Amino acid sequence: MKVITNITQIASEPVSPRLDGSTNGLKLSAIGIYTLPSNLKETDIFVFILPDIDGQDDNYIIIPTSELFTRMDYNNLLNLGTFQIKLWLTNDGRVYEMRHRSGEYEFMGMYIDADRNWTEYLNNWKIIKN
C-alpha cells in the first residue's frame, strides 16, 4: 500500500533586512516570515521557501508537520489560531526561528536553545524522499 504524503509549500511574506534582521550585527544570508493557519493538519510536510537577502537563490526548510507543531507549541508561538514564524539563515549556514526574540537572546540564547535551531531541515530533501 502506497502512502500519500501531502506537502504544503509556503512562501515568505515580504521582509526588510533592516527591520526583520539582526539588531546585533549578525550577518544573515536569508530571512523568511510566515503566517500559517492552524487548520493545516492534513499536511504531512511543510516546505518553507527561504529567499536569500541578495535575491540570488532560495533555500528551503523541509519539516514534518508533527515536528513543526511541536516546536511552535513548545515555544508559545501559537497566536489566535495562527502560527507565526520568522526564520533566519546565518552566513555560516545555520537556521534559527527568531519570532519574538530580543537582542540579548540573539546575542547568546539562539546558540543554546536547541528548539530554535532548524538547521537540520535546511535543504534536507531526504525528508520527502523517505
Side-chain angles (χ1 to χ4, degrees):
M1 177 186 206
K2 185 176 179 180
V3 176
I4 297 174
T5 301
N6 294 316
I7 300 171
T8 298
Q9 182 174 297
I10 306 291
S12 175
E13 297 171 14
V15 299
S16 164
R18 186 177 61 79
L19 298 175
D20 300 312
S22 173
T23 60
N24 291 334
L26 180 67
K27 300 296 182 192
L28 301 176
S29 296
I31 301 170
I33 298 177
Y34 313 89
T35 301
L36 306 170
S38 61
N39 65 355
L40 290 176
K41 293 186 180 190
E42 65 273 4
T43 296
D44 297 313
I45 296 172
F46 281 94
V47 177
F48 294 97
I49 302 169
L50 188 57
D52 280 354
I53 290 173
D54 63 11
Q56 297 299 311
D57 294 308
D58 289 332
N59 287 281
Y60 302 90
I61 304 299
I62 302 99
I63 187 168
T65 300
S66 58
E67 179 64 21
L68 173 67
F69 284 7
T70 298
R71 285 171 179 255
M72 295 301 93
D73 187 44
Y74 177 78
N75 288 299
N76 298 314
L77 294 173
L78 290 173
N79 182 22
L80 302 175
T82 61
F83 291 106
Q84 297 177 336
I85 302 166
K86 181 192 287 186
L87 297 175
W88 285 359
L89 173 59
T90 63
N91 279 358
D92 61 358
R94 293 177 289 168
V95 178
Y96 295 96
E97 202 295 312
M98 295 300 290
R99 176 68 68 188
H100 307 302
R101 292 294 144 211
S102 65
E104 182 179 312
Y105 182 86
E106 177 188 333
F107 179 69
M108 186 158 153
M110 64 191 278
Y111 296 103
I112 59 174
D113 187 350
D115 291 314
R116 294 275 179 177
N117 187 333
W118 292 38
T119 305
E120 69 183 285
Y121 303 107
L122 177 62
N123 299 317
N124 186 353
W125 296 104
K126 292 178 188 176
I127 292 172
I128 292 175
K129 292 178 183 176
N130 291 337

